[in-house]
């Protein structure tokens, strides 16, 4: 038996907003938005993309079954409504009748079947496919043990899609606006192959279409007249600028070349608060900044005491108070506070006095086989960013002072950095950051599952994997929470990673940009913004 999920009240509110929509007053004649977007993206193939910069663009180009309102709430996207079975394992989605691709073709349930199958197909080479594990048979397909046709997705007809899960999954609706779940235009993919996501070839179903991609310069998207909700879109063109150095981004923002910054330079926080207080937007987000340890090779392979010593020797309060300085929270756990139905766990020395913590770190360092007379020489690898560099310098100094470690800092361009992390042949300690893909602890837990494509530490603990499997199959939310918390405690005890702080979002936004609302996942759709006269 299927039950209606989208409440009648919500449908009424949605209909009312559609009927009463009117463009804001005082609009600027030129509706061009310029967004700072961090590193140059690797790809705009939604099933292969990684990282926040690519996700920011893909949310404008594509639309999943669900999307998010400006405040972060999950709302209907390409699907106008859905029903869920009593056991929570079967979802029936109704695709909008007026949903179209940018070339005018109708968006169908079959397009979502094609996209989801492509996402889990080992031949695609997605590093993110494990995120779709809740769907029936997805894990076996990813492992190469079953054909993609056995994935639990089916087009009942052109406008009705059925998704069958292996177990009730409370975060599924939030997951369905992630890029791995996006449909792709089958004809375009078959015609252009790996080049289908390039300008002039990419056919998308979101509010914008890809117009131009100048590597290391800009990516430009323009309003999609075929988009089902195009009448409400006000921004005509969005220019995404890949600016890795936050100080350079601030200069361009002050020069009027940017309307929204991707971040701010930590050492300029005080100046910004004094001179641009009304333009700085800081808010909590579900993200953790950490250092990963490569567990597949020395010095960290089979050396738990060394990993623990390095973690205990870092003063996280100094990092957040003296370097990041924007309200970040020192992190002694992996899952940040604020996650639905979850109590974040902590390392067992979180409340230990600092002097005692350092003394214990020195003891563990010696037990691991090192001393000031026989110091560890270690590489810290990070992607280009002056903020990342400052943190690496600080951690290097702490390790040297407290343990006598000699460090070498290695800065790499984003694509090279990601590839080296993935290959695990060169990395020792490396900078990492994880922003939740949906509001559930599983988005953090699954990253460390042994088969996950972005498990760059190479963590492989069968007991941990077993706990995740139990959580994935547990429909009782209280029991599931207990299992997830046990998994986080195990991860922390193994010192797979060194959590440093929990993120806050930091954006500079020009006063004439309207419609922005901070939200816990820091997802901002350009279609929800507009520019007033200035």
């Amino acid at each position: 038996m299927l039950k209606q999920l989208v409440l009648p009240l919500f449908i009424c509110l949605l209909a009312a907003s559609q009927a009463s929509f009117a463009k804001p007053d005082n609009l600027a004649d030129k509706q061009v938005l310029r967004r700072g977007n961090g590193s140059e993206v690797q790809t705009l193939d939604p099933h292969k993309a990684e990282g926040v910069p690519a996700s920011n663009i893909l949310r404008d180009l594509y639309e999943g079954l669900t999307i998010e309102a400006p405040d972060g709430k999950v709302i209907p996207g390409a699907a106008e409504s859905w029903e869920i079975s009593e056991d929570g394992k079967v979802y029936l989605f109704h695709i909008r009748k007026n949903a179209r691709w940018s070339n005018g073709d109708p968006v169908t349930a079959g397009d979502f079947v094609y996209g989801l199958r492509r996402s889990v197909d080992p031949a695609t080479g997605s590093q993110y496919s494990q995120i779709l594990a809740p769907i029936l048979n997805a894990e076996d397909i990813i492992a190469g043990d079953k054909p993609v046709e056995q994935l639990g997705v089916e087009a009942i007809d052109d406008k009705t899609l059925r998704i069958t899960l292996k177990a009730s999954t409370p975060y599924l609706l939030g997951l369905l606006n992630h890029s791995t779940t996006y449909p792709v235009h089958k004809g375009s993919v078959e015609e252009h192959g790996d080049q289908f996501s390039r300008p002039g070839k990419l056919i998308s179903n979101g509010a914008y279409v890809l117009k131009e991609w100048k590597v290391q310069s800009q990516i430009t998207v323009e309003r999609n007249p075929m988009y089902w909700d195009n009448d409400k879109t006000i921004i005509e063109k969005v220019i995404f600028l890949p600016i890795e150095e936050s100080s350079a981004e601030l200069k361009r923002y002050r020069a009027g070349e940017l309307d929204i910054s991707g971040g701010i330079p930590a050492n300029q926080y005080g100046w910004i608060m004094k001179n641009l207080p009304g333009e700085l937007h800081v808010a909590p987000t579900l993200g953790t900044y950490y250092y990963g340890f490569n567990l597949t090779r020395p010095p960290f392979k089979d050396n738990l005491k060394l990993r623990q010593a390095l973690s205990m020797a870092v003063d996280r309060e100094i990092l957040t108070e003296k370097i990041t300085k924007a309200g970040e929270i020192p992190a002694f756990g992996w899952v940040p506070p604020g996650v639905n139905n979850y109590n974040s766990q902590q390392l067992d020395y979180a409340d230990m006095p600092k002097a005692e913590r350092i003394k214990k770190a020195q003891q563990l360092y010696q037990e691991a086989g090192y001393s000031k007379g026989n110091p560890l020489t270690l590489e810290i690898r990070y992607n280009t960013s002056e903020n990342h560099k400052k943190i690496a310098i600080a951690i290097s100094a702490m390790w040297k002072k407290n343990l006598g470690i000699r460090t070498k800092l290695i800065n790499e361009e984003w694509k090279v950095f990601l590839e080296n992390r993935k290959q695990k042949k060169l990395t020792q300690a490396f900078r990492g950051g994880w922003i939740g893909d949906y509001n559930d602890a599983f988005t953090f837990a699954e990253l460390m599952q042994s088969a996950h494509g972005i498990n760059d530490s190479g963590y492989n603990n069968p007991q941990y994997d077993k706990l995740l499997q139990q959580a994935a199959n547990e429909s009782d939310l209280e029991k599931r929470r207990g299992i997830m918390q046990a998994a986080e405690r195990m991860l922390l005890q193994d010192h797979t990673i060194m959590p440093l702080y929990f993120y806050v979002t930091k954006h500079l936004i020009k006063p004439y940009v309207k419609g922005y609302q901070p939200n816990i996942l820091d997802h901002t759709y350009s279609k929800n913004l507009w520019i007033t006269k200035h």
Side-chain angles (χ1 to χ4, degrees):
M1 174 67 72
L2 295 170
K3 60 182 180 183
Q4 188 71 28
L5 177 73
V6 182
L7 300 177
L9 175 62
F10 182 76
I11 294 175
C12 291
L13 288 173
L14 186 64
S17 68
Q18 290 173 334
S20 61
F21 175 77
K23 288 189 177 181
D25 296 329
N26 199 33
L27 286 176
D29 294 335
K30 191 176 182 181
Q31 292 292 320
V32 178
L33 182 70
R34 299 158 300 175
R35 298 179 63 168
N37 200 45
S39 304
E40 175 72 29
V41 302
Q42 296 170 291
T43 177
L44 289 176
D45 180 335
H47 303 148
K48 295 183 180 181
E50 299 175 36
V52 172
S55 296
N56 291 338
I57 301 170
L58 289 169
R59 272 190 293 273
D60 279 358
L61 293 174
Y62 286 93
E63 184 166 271
L65 293 163
T66 64
I67 56 175
E68 294 164 76
D71 63 2
K73 292 179 182 177
V74 176
I75 60 174
E80 62 184 359
S81 63
W82 49 82
E83 296 102 46
I84 307 176
S85 63
E86 293 290 346
D87 62 4
K89 292 183 180 181
V90 180
Y91 285 65
L92 205 62
F93 292 92
H94 303 285
I95 311 299
R96 296 180 186 276
K97 293 180 174 58
N98 57 343
R100 294 194 173 275
W101 292 98
S102 54
N103 70 344
D105 290 348
V107 174
T108 67
D111 293 326
F112 281 93
V113 171
Y114 178 73
L116 288 164
R117 285 179 175 177
R118 181 177 183 271
S119 203
V120 298
D121 190 340
T124 301
S126 171
Q127 299 298 320
Y128 236 128
S129 55
Q130 191 65 31
I131 200 173
L132 300 177
I135 301 178
L136 186 66
N137 294 329
E139 290 175 298
D140 289 336
I141 296 167
I142 293 166
D145 296 331
K146 288 184 179 179
V148 295
E149 291 77 14
Q150 291 189 24
L151 185 66
V153 293
E154 179 185 1
I156 305 300
D157 54 44
D158 280 351
K159 294 296 181 179
T160 311
L161 174 73
R162 179 161 57 205
I163 296 181
T164 304
L165 309 178
K166 65 180 182 182
S168 176
T169 305
Y171 60 86
L172 183 76
L173 293 174
L175 171 63
L176 290 175
N177 56 46
H178 188 269
S179 63
T180 52
T181 73
Y182 290 166
V184 287
H185 189 267
K186 183 177 180 181
S188 177
V189 175
E190 292 179 345
E191 180 180 357
H192 301 295
D194 289 341
Q195 297 296 307
F196 86 93
S197 59
R198 305 297 299 182
K201 299 174 182 176
L202 180 60
I203 297 174
S204 57
N205 74 321
Y208 295 89
V209 294
L210 181 62
K211 184 67 175 179
E212 182 182 55
W213 186 349
K214 292 182 180 179
V215 176
Q216 295 296 348
S217 177
Q218 66 183 48
I219 290 177
T220 303
V221 302
E222 293 185 352
R223 186 169 166 176
N224 175 13
M226 294 293 174
Y227 179 56
W228 67 269
D229 207 19
N230 179 55
D231 288 346
K232 293 186 193 173
T233 305
I234 298 174
I235 297 291
E236 296 284 350
K237 179 189 294 187
V238 187
I239 301 172
F240 293 90
L241 299 163
I243 310 171
E244 292 184 328
E245 291 292 350
S246 54
S247 58
E249 187 180 44
L250 176 59
K251 289 178 182 177
R252 296 185 69 172
Y253 179 87
R254 292 182 63 196
E257 298 175 18
L258 275 179
D259 303 310
I260 302 177
S261 76
I264 63 170
N267 62 352
Q268 294 293 311
Y269 181 75
W271 183 92
I272 291 169
M273 283 295 293
K274 181 179 178 180
N275 295 279
L276 302 170
E279 299 175 42
L280 178 60
H281 298 258
V282 179
T285 189
L286 295 185
T288 306
Y289 191 106
Y290 68 97
Y291 270 20
F293 299 127
N294 185 347
L295 306 182
T296 69
R297 59 189 293 263
F300 297 121
K301 183 178 181 180
D302 301 325
N303 201 335
L304 172 61
K305 290 182 178 180
L306 176 62
R307 303 194 301 268
Q308 185 175 349
L310 265 61
S311 181
M312 295 185 78
V314 170
D315 190 326
R316 292 154 175 85
E317 286 79 10
I318 286 180
L319 292 179
T320 54
E321 292 172 8
K322 304 296 185 183
I323 297 178
T324 61
K325 298 187 291 188
E328 292 86 355
I329 304 170
F332 290 90
W334 175 225
V335 182
V339 173
N340 289 338
N341 192 44
Y342 193 77
N343 297 318
S344 299
Q345 305 299 293
Q346 286 195 324
L347 291 160
D348 56 13
Y349 47 81
D351 298 322
M352 186 182 292
K354 291 183 182 180
E356 187 178 337
R357 193 187 304 162
I358 298 303
K359 185 177 180 180
K360 180 65 174 177
Q362 292 168 343
Q363 176 190 332
L364 290 165
Y365 183 63
Q366 289 184 336
E367 292 176 3
Y370 300 95
S371 65
K372 291 193 175 181
N374 177 35
L376 170 68
T377 300
L378 185 65
E379 292 179 351
I380 297 177
R381 198 172 297 262
Y382 62 93
N383 58 294
T384 304
S385 161
E386 80 184 84
N387 287 349
H388 299 332
K389 182 178 180 180
K390 289 179 186 297
I391 291 171
I393 290 172
I395 289 175
S396 176
M398 293 173 190
W399 283 346
K400 182 175 178 60
K401 176 185 176 182
N402 296 325
L403 301 175
I405 292 173
R406 299 170 181 170
T407 55
K408 178 182 180 182
L409 307 187
I410 300 177
N411 163 56
E412 294 178 328
E413 184 269 332
W414 179 242
K415 293 182 183 179
V416 176
F417 174 70
L418 283 183
E419 188 60 28
N420 281 333
R421 277 179 40 170
K422 195 174 302 174
Q423 294 296 328
K424 305 179 185 67
K425 294 178 181 178
L426 299 176
T427 52
Q428 292 182 330
F430 56 87
R431 175 260 161 186
W434 189 249
I435 308 297
D437 291 314
Y438 44 87
N439 192 343
D440 189 273
F442 206 83
T443 187
F444 288 88
E446 68 175 344
L447 187 69
M448 300 301 169
Q449 195 263 353
S450 60
H452 198 287
I454 316 181
N455 176 6
D456 293 336
S457 287
Y459 184 51
N460 189 346
N461 184 334
Q463 292 178 298
Y464 181 82
D465 289 353
K466 184 178 180 180
L467 285 173
L468 296 198
Q469 191 64 43
Q470 290 175 359
N473 290 309
E474 180 56 66
S475 57
D476 184 294
L477 291 181
E478 186 173 346
K479 291 180 180 178
R480 180 178 182 270
R481 180 174 65 244
I483 296 168
M484 296 290 294
Q485 290 171 180
E488 184 181 6
R489 288 194 297 273
M490 182 178 294
L491 178 74
L492 294 174
Q493 289 165 3
D494 286 344
H495 285 82
T496 304
I497 56 166
M498 182 173 72
L500 295 172
Y501 62 80
F502 297 124
Y503 280 105
V504 293
T505 59
K506 295 164 285 188
H507 300 294
L508 284 166
I509 303 177
K510 294 292 186 182
Y512 51 76
V513 176
K514 305 298 182 182
Y516 172 78
Q517 289 187 43
N519 59 72
I520 198 70
L521 292 174
D522 193 28
H523 292 172
T524 299
Y525 295 73
S526 299
K527 73 185 185 74
N528 293 327
L529 306 177
W530 64 91
I531 297 172
T532 56
K533 290 180 180 178
H534 55 281

